[in-house]
Each structure stands twice: as structure tokens, then as C-alpha cells.
């Protein structure tokens, strides 16, 4: 294992989705002496996040509701960055940890980012707090970040991957809305049938973005870990990588139903503008796309979006298997008020007074959540297909927290680069996989020193 300082400051090449009152100046900290909290003498804890715009006020409202119920705890909402950039956020958070600053409650945008910092000793295990509250995290939340068998985070929001489809394009191709159990071969067929036009006005049947999830979507939906085997060796030799790489090439070259990867990279194309701009008929994405669909100021469009579950590799895959990501909150090991910080983290993940995203809770009022997520945009969002996709009782993640390491985020670029070299350099799948395994082994060995 690397020296602590190097571990804390390294491994910052992270890129994921982001998501957030009483707003303080970035880097502000409040560290009064640890004393017993009472309503007359409340303690102050800091909640670190990367919120911007309306999200700050929404969290202010949640904090206000919490403080009414817990007058002995005051929560300061601290935006470590003011640009919403999670890469910058994690850099600052890790520097705080390396310098010994107190961290009370902090947001994370991906389960790997939680377990990495748990492995570094930055976070407080929550098992004893949960036990006292008689909470089984695995039964309560869709995903629970664990390291060495201990819980280090609670799921604040769930990100279920799905396929968003332009209903106009679907109807024009006379295709039904896909349901649970459709395969990637079906996806390819749908994309071919929804591709129309040519040149600048061409509408492609589908769009694949550049994030690692798009390089092998099967690895995220059907493998316990998309980067590693149980023995901590690379999983990149798995047959699913060959199959998905070949699918990507066939859709580009043979079907011409997706844009060339080189054009996507060269044009710095965005998944949201490609889909909502009508340039692609469908896109694998997650439920965060709902907020983008509703933002008709930024993405003016009139077509309705319908939703389908993620495709599976074959008809033999268990129905309900999907890629379930999410946002998480954790308590810092350095916090002087761990119990109070846990109470706020628990409240954040379980309150439904202000629904900002799909909750991480398994048991929620479906209609209440749908109403909050869709709002008055039923002309743009098909509620029936959305409900069938988000709330099927069979939904489960195959993610296994026991595979977690302190360097998981360093392996995601290996997958991204593997697909890139496969498509751009016209490699065979086997050659791309060999290179990925070699690159991953270098990272693994470096982290064993």
C-alpha cells in the first residue's frame, strides 16, 4: 500500500455525474470543541457537497426541516467548489483529509469513491449506529458501500440505468416500447430501424457516450465488478468485453446506426444535446436524464420520451438485473460529532418531504416519487413506461462491495481507453483486451507497493 499522503492525493481522475444550505464560503470549516449537544447548546456539523444554483436552496430546505426535528444539531451547508465539478470537489476533500481537517458529512457521486476513501481510513464505519437504530442497510437501500464487511455510506439517491427513447421515432418505426428482458441484439435491431435520413439531418438510431459505462454496459449490469475479479485481478478478459466491443463496431461500421466514435470525440458531442436535439432516437442513460428532459429552456423539444429497462446480454440473464448507481453520504473518521453527523446522513437518505431525485430507499411511495420527478411535464415524459422501468420489484444490482479497492477509479480509464483504441486503431477485441489487462495489472501492482 502506498504512503498515506500519496494515497490521499492520488487517484483523482474521477468523472461522474454530480448533484448539494445555509451557504458558506467554500473551504469554510466549523470545528468547535466536542461537547454534549443540547437544544440550548447545539453542535454545528458541516455538510460538504458540490451543489450549485437551485440545488443549494433545496438542501437549505432539507436542513431546515432536519433542524426543526433535531434542535441540538445545526448543519452548515458547505460547497467545497462553486462550479459543480466533482473532480475539483474530490481534490479538495482529499486535501482536507490529508491535512487532518475535520470532516463531518460529505457527499459522494459514486460507490467506488466511497469505498476508496474507506480503504484509506478517511470514513467512519456506520454499523454500530445502524444497529442501534435497528436498520439493516442492505434491506433498506438499493446499494450499500462496504469495505472489509463494514458499511461506510448510505445511499441518498438512486441512479438506475435505463434506455430513453424518442416516442416519435419509435412510432415511425412501428416498434413497441421494449420491456424487461430485451437484449443487446434487440437494441441493435431497434437502432437500425429508427435510423433515418442522411448528412447533417440524419437521425441515428442510438448514441453511445464516452464514459466508461458505455464501453461495456454488460460489465456494469451483469458482473459483480466491471474492473476486477474476486481475486483482485483484471476482469477485462471476460467474454462480455469482446461481445460489446464487437457490437459497438458493428453498429458504427455495418449498420451506421450510431455516430463514429472518432466524430463523437472530435466534436466533443454531448449525450443530452444529441438525444434531446433529435439527432439520436435513443440513448442508454440513467434517471438523471429526467431533469434534462424537463429543462426545455436549455433543450427545447416537443417529442415525448418513453423508457425501457437496460438490455441484457442474453435471454438467460435474470430479469431485473441492472446497473444501479447512486449518490451517497458518509461520515468522516475525523468528525468530532460522529453521532450527530450520522443522524443527519440518515435523515438525508430517508426524508421524502423534498424529493430531488430517485430515492435510494427500496420502500417508497411510488406515486409520490413519480409526481415529484415528472412534475407537470407529462407531455414530455411517459409516466407509464417510466414507472414500469423504475419500480419493478425485480430490480437488483449485481454489484458486490467485497470487490472494492482503494484504486477502483483508476481502473475506469483503462476500460475507456480500451474501447477507444479498439475503435480508433482498428484492433481486434483480443488485442484490446490484452492491452487493458496489462494496463490494469500495472495499476494493481503500483497500489500494492
Amino acid at each position: 500500500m502506498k504512503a498515506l499522503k500519496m494515497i490521499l492525493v492520488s487517484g483523482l481522475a474521477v468523472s461522474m455525474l454530480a448533484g448539494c444550505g445555509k451557504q458558506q464560503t467554500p473551504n469554510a470549516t466549523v470545528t468547535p470543541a466536542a461537547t454534549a449537544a443540547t437544544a440550548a447548546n447545539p453542535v454545528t456539523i458541516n455538510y460538504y457537497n458540490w451543489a450549485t444554483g437551485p440545488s443549494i436552496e433545496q438542501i437549505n430546505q432539507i436542513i431546515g426541516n432536519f433542524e426543526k426535528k433535531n434542535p441540538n444539531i445545526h448543519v452548515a451547508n458547505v460547497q467545497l467548489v462553486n462550479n459543480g465539478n466533482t473532480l475539483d470537489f474530490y481534490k479538495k476533500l482529499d486535501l482536507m483529509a490529508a491535512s487532518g481537517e475535520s470532516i463531518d458529512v460529505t457527499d459522494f457521486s459514486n460507490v467506488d469513491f466511497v469505498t476508496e476513501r474507506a480503504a484509506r481510513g478517511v470514513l467512519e464505519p456506520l454499523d454500530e449506529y445502524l444497529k442501534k437504530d435497528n436498520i439493516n442497510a442492505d434491506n433498506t437501500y438499493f446499494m450499500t458501500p462496504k469495505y472489509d464487511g463494514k458499511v461506510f455510506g448510505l445511499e441518498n439517491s438512486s441512479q438506475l440505468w435505463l434506455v430513453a427513447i424518442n416516442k416519435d421515432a419509435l412510432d415511425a418505426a412501428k416498434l413497441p416500447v421494449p420491456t424487461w428482458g430485451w437484449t443487446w441484439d434487440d437494441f441493435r435491431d431497434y437502432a437500425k430501424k429508427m435510423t433515418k435520413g442522411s448528412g447533417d439531418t440524419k437521425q441515428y438510431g442510438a448514441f453511445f457516450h464516452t464514459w466508461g459505462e458505455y464501453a461495456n454496459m454488460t460489465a456494469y449490469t451483469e458482473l459483480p465488478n466491471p474492473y476486477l475479479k474476486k481475486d483482485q485481478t483484471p476482469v477485462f478478459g471476460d467474454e462480455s468485453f469482446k461481445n460489446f466491443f464487437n457490437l459497438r463496431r458493428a453498429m458504427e461500421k455495418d449498420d451506421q446506426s450510431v455516430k463514429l466514435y472518432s466524430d463523437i470525440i472530435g466534436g466533443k458531442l454531448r449525450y443530452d444535446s444529441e438525444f434531446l436535439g433529435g439527432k439520436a432516437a435513443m440513448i442508454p442513460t440513467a434517471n438523471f436524464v429526467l431533469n434534462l428532459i424537463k429543462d426545455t429552456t436549455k433543450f427545447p423539444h416537443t417529442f415525448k420520451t418513453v423508457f425501457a429497462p437496460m438490455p441484457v446480454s442474453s435471454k438467460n440473464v435474470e430479469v431485473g438485473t441492472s446497473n444501479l448507481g447512486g449518490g451517497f453520504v458518509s461520515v468522516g473518521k475525523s468528525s468530532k460529532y460522529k453521532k450527530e453527523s450520522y443522524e443527519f446522513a440518515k435523515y438525508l437518505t430517508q426524508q421524502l418531504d423534498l424529493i430531488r431525485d430517485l430515492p435510494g430507499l427500496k420502500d417508497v411511495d411510488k406515486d409520490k416519487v413519480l409526481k415529484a420527478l415528472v412534475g407537470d411535464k407529462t407531455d414530455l415524459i411517459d409516466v407509464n413506461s417510466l414507472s414500469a422501468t423504475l419500480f419493478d420489484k425485480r430490480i437488483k444490482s449485481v454489484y458486490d462491495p467485497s470487490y472494492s479497492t482503494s484504486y477502483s477509479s483508476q481502473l475506469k480509464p483503462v476500460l475507456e481507453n480500451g474501447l477507444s483504441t479498439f475503435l480508433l486503431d482498428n484492433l481486434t477485441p483480443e488485442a484490446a483486451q490484452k492491452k487493458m489487462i496489462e494496463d490494469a495489472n500495472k495499476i494493481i501492482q503500483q497500489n500494492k507497493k
Side-chain angles (χ1 to χ4, degrees), residues 139-172:
N139 293 341
T140 304
Y141 303 96
F142 282 108
M143 182 178 287
T144 302
K146 294 181 182 179
Y147 184 76
D148 277 348
K150 295 181 179 179
V151 176
F152 283 93
L154 303 179
E155 190 171 22
N156 191 25
S157 62
S158 179
Q159 290 173 359
L160 177 68
W161 280 73
L162 42 74
V163 180
I165 309 175
N166 182 324
K167 189 176 185 299
D168 289 349
L170 194 69
D171 291 345

CSV table of all heavy atoms in Angstrom, one decimal, residues 139-172:
chain,number,residue,atom,x,y,z
A,139,ASN,N,-31.2,-4.2,3.4
A,139,ASN,CA,-32.7,-4.3,3.2
A,139,ASN,C,-33.3,-2.9,2.9
A,139,ASN,O,-34.4,-2.9,2.4
A,139,ASN,CB,-33.3,-5.0,4.4
A,139,ASN,CG,-32.9,-6.4,4.5
A,139,ASN,OD1,-32.5,-7.0,3.5
A,139,ASN,ND2,-33.1,-7.0,5.7
A,140,THR,N,-32.7,-1.9,3.4
A,140,THR,CA,-33.3,-0.5,3.4
A,140,THR,C,-32.9,0.2,2.1
A,140,THR,O,-33.8,0.9,1.5
A,140,THR,CB,-32.8,0.3,4.6
A,140,THR,OG1,-33.1,-0.4,5.8
A,140,THR,CG2,-33.4,1.7,4.6
A,141,TYR,N,-31.7,0.0,1.6
A,141,TYR,CA,-31.2,0.8,0.4
A,141,TYR,C,-30.9,-0.2,-0.7
A,141,TYR,O,-30.6,-1.4,-0.5
A,141,TYR,CB,-29.9,1.6,0.8
A,141,TYR,CG,-30.1,2.6,1.9
A,141,TYR,CD1,-29.7,2.2,3.2
A,141,TYR,CD2,-30.7,3.8,1.7
A,141,TYR,CE1,-29.9,3.1,4.3
A,141,TYR,CE2,-30.8,4.7,2.8
A,141,TYR,CZ,-30.5,4.3,4.0
A,141,TYR,OH,-30.6,5.2,5.1
A,142,PHE,N,-30.9,0.3,-2.0
A,142,PHE,CA,-30.6,-0.5,-3.1
A,142,PHE,C,-29.2,-0.9,-3.1
A,142,PHE,O,-28.8,-2.0,-3.5
A,142,PHE,CB,-31.0,0.3,-4.4
A,142,PHE,CG,-32.4,0.3,-4.8
A,142,PHE,CD1,-33.2,1.4,-4.6
A,142,PHE,CD2,-33.0,-0.9,-5.2
A,142,PHE,CE1,-34.5,1.5,-4.9
A,142,PHE,CE2,-34.4,-0.9,-5.5
A,142,PHE,CZ,-35.1,0.3,-5.4
A,143,MET,N,-28.3,0.0,-2.7
A,143,MET,CA,-26.9,-0.3,-2.7
A,143,MET,C,-26.2,0.3,-1.5
A,143,MET,O,-26.5,1.4,-1.0
A,143,MET,CB,-26.2,0.4,-4.0
A,143,MET,CG,-24.7,0.1,-4.1
A,143,MET,SD,-24.0,0.9,-5.6
A,143,MET,CE,-24.7,-0.2,-6.9
A,144,THR,N,-25.3,-0.5,-0.9
A,144,THR,CA,-24.7,-0.1,0.4
A,144,THR,C,-23.1,-0.2,0.2
A,144,THR,O,-22.6,-1.3,0.0
A,144,THR,CB,-25.1,-1.0,1.5
A,144,THR,OG1,-26.5,-0.9,1.7
A,144,THR,CG2,-24.4,-0.6,2.8
A,145,PRO,N,-22.4,0.9,0.2
A,145,PRO,CA,-21.0,0.9,0.1
A,145,PRO,C,-20.3,0.2,1.3
A,145,PRO,O,-20.6,0.7,2.5
A,145,PRO,CB,-20.6,2.4,0.1
A,145,PRO,CG,-21.9,3.1,-0.3
A,145,PRO,CD,-23.0,2.3,0.3
A,146,LYS,N,-19.6,-0.8,1.1
A,146,LYS,CA,-18.9,-1.5,2.2
A,146,LYS,C,-17.4,-1.7,1.9
A,146,LYS,O,-17.0,-1.8,0.7
A,146,LYS,CB,-19.6,-2.9,2.4
A,146,LYS,CG,-21.0,-2.9,2.9
A,146,LYS,CD,-21.5,-4.3,3.1
A,146,LYS,CE,-23.0,-4.3,3.5
A,146,LYS,NZ,-23.5,-5.7,3.7
A,147,TYR,N,-16.7,-1.8,2.9
A,147,TYR,CA,-15.3,-2.2,2.8
A,147,TYR,C,-14.9,-3.0,4.0
A,147,TYR,O,-15.2,-2.7,5.2
A,147,TYR,CB,-14.4,-0.9,2.8
A,147,TYR,CG,-12.9,-1.2,2.5
A,147,TYR,CD1,-12.5,-1.6,1.3
A,147,TYR,CD2,-12.0,-1.2,3.6
A,147,TYR,CE1,-11.2,-2.0,1.0
A,147,TYR,CE2,-10.7,-1.6,3.3
A,147,TYR,CZ,-10.3,-1.9,2.1
A,147,TYR,OH,-9.0,-2.3,1.9
A,148,ASP,N,-14.2,-4.1,3.8
A,148,ASP,CA,-13.9,-5.1,4.8
A,148,ASP,C,-15.2,-5.5,5.6
A,148,ASP,O,-15.2,-5.7,6.8
A,148,ASP,CB,-12.9,-4.5,5.8
A,148,ASP,CG,-11.5,-4.7,5.3
A,148,ASP,OD1,-11.3,-5.5,4.3
A,148,ASP,OD2,-10.5,-4.1,5.8
A,149,GLY,N,-16.3,-5.6,4.9
A,149,GLY,CA,-17.5,-6.0,5.5
A,149,GLY,C,-18.3,-5.0,6.3
A,149,GLY,O,-19.3,-5.2,6.9
A,150,LYS,N,-17.7,-3.7,6.4
A,150,LYS,CA,-18.4,-2.7,7.2
A,150,LYS,C,-19.0,-1.6,6.3
A,150,LYS,O,-18.5,-1.4,5.2
A,150,LYS,CB,-17.3,-2.0,8.1
A,150,LYS,CG,-16.7,-2.9,9.1
A,150,LYS,CD,-15.7,-2.2,10.0
A,150,LYS,CE,-15.2,-3.1,11.1
A,150,LYS,NZ,-14.2,-2.4,11.9
A,151,VAL,N,-20.1,-1.0,6.8
A,151,VAL,CA,-20.8,0.0,6.0
A,151,VAL,C,-20.2,1.4,6.2
A,151,VAL,O,-19.9,1.8,7.3
A,151,VAL,CB,-22.3,0.1,6.5
A,151,VAL,CG1,-23.0,1.2,5.7
A,151,VAL,CG2,-23.0,-1.3,6.3
A,152,PHE,N,-19.9,2.0,5.0
A,152,PHE,CA,-19.3,3.3,5.1
A,152,PHE,C,-20.1,4.4,4.4
A,152,PHE,O,-19.6,5.6,4.2
A,152,PHE,CB,-17.9,3.3,4.5
A,152,PHE,CG,-16.9,2.6,5.4
A,152,PHE,CD1,-16.6,1.2,5.3
A,152,PHE,CD2,-16.2,3.3,6.3
A,152,PHE,CE1,-15.7,0.6,6.1
A,152,PHE,CE2,-15.3,2.7,7.2
A,152,PHE,CZ,-15.0,1.4,7.1
A,153,GLY,N,-21.3,4.2,4.0
A,153,GLY,CA,-22.1,5.2,3.3
A,153,GLY,C,-23.5,4.8,3.2
A,153,GLY,O,-23.8,3.6,3.3
A,154,LEU,N,-24.4,5.8,3.1
A,154,LEU,CA,-25.8,5.5,3.0
A,154,LEU,C,-26.3,6.1,1.6
A,154,LEU,O,-25.8,7.2,1.3
A,154,LEU,CB,-26.6,6.1,4.1
A,154,LEU,CG,-26.3,5.7,5.5
A,154,LEU,CD1,-27.1,6.4,6.5
A,154,LEU,CD2,-26.4,4.1,5.7
A,155,GLU,N,-27.1,5.4,0.9
A,155,GLU,CA,-27.5,5.8,-0.4
A,155,GLU,C,-28.5,7.0,-0.3
A,155,GLU,O,-29.6,6.8,0.2
A,155,GLU,CB,-28.1,4.7,-1.2
A,155,GLU,CG,-28.3,5.0,-2.7
A,155,GLU,CD,-28.6,3.8,-3.5
A,155,GLU,OE1,-29.1,2.8,-2.9
A,155,GLU,OE2,-28.4,3.8,-4.8
A,156,ASN,N,-28.2,8.1,-0.9
A,156,ASN,CA,-29.0,9.3,-0.8
A,156,ASN,C,-29.9,9.4,-2.0
A,156,ASN,O,-31.1,9.8,-2.0
A,156,ASN,CB,-28.2,10.6,-0.7
A,156,ASN,CG,-29.0,11.8,-0.4
A,156,ASN,OD1,-30.1,11.7,0.2
A,156,ASN,ND2,-28.5,12.9,-0.7
A,157,SER,N,-29.4,8.9,-3.2
A,157,SER,CA,-30.2,8.9,-4.4
A,157,SER,C,-29.8,7.7,-5.2
A,157,SER,O,-28.6,7.3,-5.2
A,157,SER,CB,-30.0,10.2,-5.2
A,157,SER,OG,-28.6,10.3,-5.6
A,158,SER,N,-30.8,7.2,-6.0
A,158,SER,CA,-30.5,6.0,-6.8
A,158,SER,C,-30.4,6.5,-8.3
A,158,SER,O,-31.2,7.3,-8.7
A,158,SER,CB,-31.6,5.0,-6.6
A,158,SER,OG,-31.4,3.9,-7.4
A,159,GLN,N,-29.5,5.9,-9.0
A,159,GLN,CA,-29.4,6.2,-10.4
A,159,GLN,C,-29.5,4.8,-11.1
A,159,GLN,O,-28.5,4.1,-11.2
A,159,GLN,CB,-28.0,6.8,-10.7
A,159,GLN,CG,-27.9,8.3,-10.2
A,159,GLN,CD,-26.6,8.9,-10.4
A,159,GLN,OE1,-25.6,8.2,-10.8
A,159,GLN,NE2,-26.4,10.1,-9.9
A,160,LEU,N,-30.7,4.6,-11.5
A,160,LEU,CA,-31.0,3.3,-12.3
A,160,LEU,C,-30.8,3.6,-13.8
A,160,LEU,O,-31.4,4.5,-14.4
A,160,LEU,CB,-32.4,2.9,-12.1
A,160,LEU,CG,-32.9,1.7,-12.8
A,160,LEU,CD1,-32.1,0.4,-12.3
A,160,LEU,CD2,-34.4,1.4,-12.7
A,161,TRP,N,-29.9,2.8,-14.4
A,161,TRP,CA,-29.6,3.0,-15.8
A,161,TRP,C,-30.8,2.4,-16.6
A,161,TRP,O,-31.4,1.3,-16.2
A,161,TRP,CB,-28.3,2.3,-16.2
A,161,TRP,CG,-27.2,3.2,-15.8
A,161,TRP,CD1,-26.7,3.5,-14.6
A,161,TRP,CD2,-26.4,4.0,-16.7
A,161,TRP,NE1,-25.6,4.4,-14.7
A,161,TRP,CE2,-25.4,4.7,-16.0
A,161,TRP,CE3,-26.4,4.2,-18.1
A,161,TRP,CZ2,-24.5,5.6,-16.5
A,161,TRP,CZ3,-25.4,5.0,-18.7
A,161,TRP,CH2,-24.5,5.7,-17.9
A,162,LEU,N,-31.2,3.1,-17.6
A,162,LEU,CA,-32.3,2.7,-18.5
A,162,LEU,C,-32.0,3.2,-19.9
A,162,LEU,O,-31.0,3.7,-20.2
A,162,LEU,CB,-33.6,3.3,-17.9
A,162,LEU,CG,-33.5,4.8,-17.4
A,162,LEU,CD1,-33.4,5.8,-18.5
A,162,LEU,CD2,-34.7,5.1,-16.5
A,163,VAL,N,-33.0,3.0,-20.8
A,163,VAL,CA,-32.9,3.5,-22.1
A,163,VAL,C,-34.0,4.5,-22.4
A,163,VAL,O,-35.2,4.2,-22.2
A,163,VAL,CB,-33.0,2.4,-23.2
A,163,VAL,CG1,-32.8,2.9,-24.6
A,163,VAL,CG2,-31.9,1.3,-22.9
A,164,ALA,N,-33.6,5.7,-22.7
A,164,ALA,CA,-34.6,6.8,-23.1
A,164,ALA,C,-34.8,6.7,-24.6
A,164,ALA,O,-33.8,6.7,-25.4
A,164,ALA,CB,-34.1,8.1,-22.6
A,165,ILE,N,-36.0,6.8,-25.0
A,165,ILE,CA,-36.4,6.6,-26.5
A,165,ILE,C,-37.3,7.7,-26.9
A,165,ILE,O,-38.3,8.0,-26.3
A,165,ILE,CB,-37.0,5.2,-26.8
A,165,ILE,CG1,-36.1,4.1,-26.2
A,165,ILE,CG2,-37.2,5.0,-28.3
A,165,ILE,CD1,-36.8,2.7,-26.3
A,166,ASN,N,-37.0,8.3,-28.1
A,166,ASN,CA,-37.9,9.3,-28.7
A,166,ASN,C,-39.1,8.6,-29.2
A,166,ASN,O,-39.0,7.8,-30.1
A,166,ASN,CB,-37.1,10.0,-29.8
A,166,ASN,CG,-37.9,11.0,-30.6
A,166,ASN,OD1,-39.1,10.9,-30.7
A,166,ASN,ND2,-37.2,12.1,-31.0
A,167,LYS,N,-40.3,8.9,-28.6
A,167,LYS,CA,-41.5,8.2,-29.0
A,167,LYS,C,-41.9,8.4,-30.4
A,167,LYS,O,-42.4,7.5,-31.1
A,167,LYS,CB,-42.7,8.6,-28.1
A,167,LYS,CG,-43.9,7.8,-28.2
A,167,LYS,CD,-45.0,8.2,-27.2
A,167,LYS,CE,-46.2,7.2,-27.3
A,167,LYS,NZ,-46.8,7.3,-28.7
A,168,ASP,N,-41.6,9.6,-31.0
A,168,ASP,CA,-41.9,9.9,-32.4
A,168,ASP,C,-41.2,8.9,-33.3
A,168,ASP,O,-41.7,8.4,-34.2
A,168,ASP,CB,-41.6,11.3,-32.7
A,168,ASP,CG,-42.5,12.3,-32.1
A,168,ASP,OD1,-43.6,11.9,-31.5
A,168,ASP,OD2,-42.2,13.5,-32.1
A,169,ALA,N,-39.9,8.7,-33.0
A,169,ALA,CA,-39.1,7.8,-33.8
A,169,ALA,C,-39.5,6.4,-33.6
A,169,ALA,O,-39.5,5.6,-34.6
A,169,ALA,CB,-37.6,7.9,-33.4
A,170,LEU,N,-39.9,6.0,-32.4
A,170,LEU,CA,-40.4,4.7,-32.1
A,170,LEU,C,-41.7,4.4,-32.9
A,170,LEU,O,-41.8,3.3,-33.5
A,170,LEU,CB,-40.6,4.5,-30.6
A,170,LEU,CG,-40.8,3.1,-30.0
A,170,LEU,CD1,-39.5,2.3,-30.1
A,170,LEU,CD2,-41.3,3.2,-28.6
A,171,ASP,N,-42.6,5.4,-32.8
A,171,ASP,CA,-43.8,5.2,-33.5
A,171,ASP,C,-43.6,5.1,-35.1
A,171,ASP,O,-44.3,4.3,-35.8
A,171,ASP,CB,-44.8,6.3,-33.2
A,171,ASP,CG,-45.3,6.3,-31.7
A,171,ASP,OD1,-45.1,5.2,-31.1
A,171,ASP,OD2,-45.8,7.3,-31.2
A,172,ALA,N,-42.7,6.0,-35.6
A,172,ALA,CA,-42.5,6.0,-37.0
A,172,ALA,C,-41.9,4.6,-37.5
A,172,ALA,O,-42.2,4.2,-38.6
A,172,ALA,CB,-41.5,7.1,-37.3
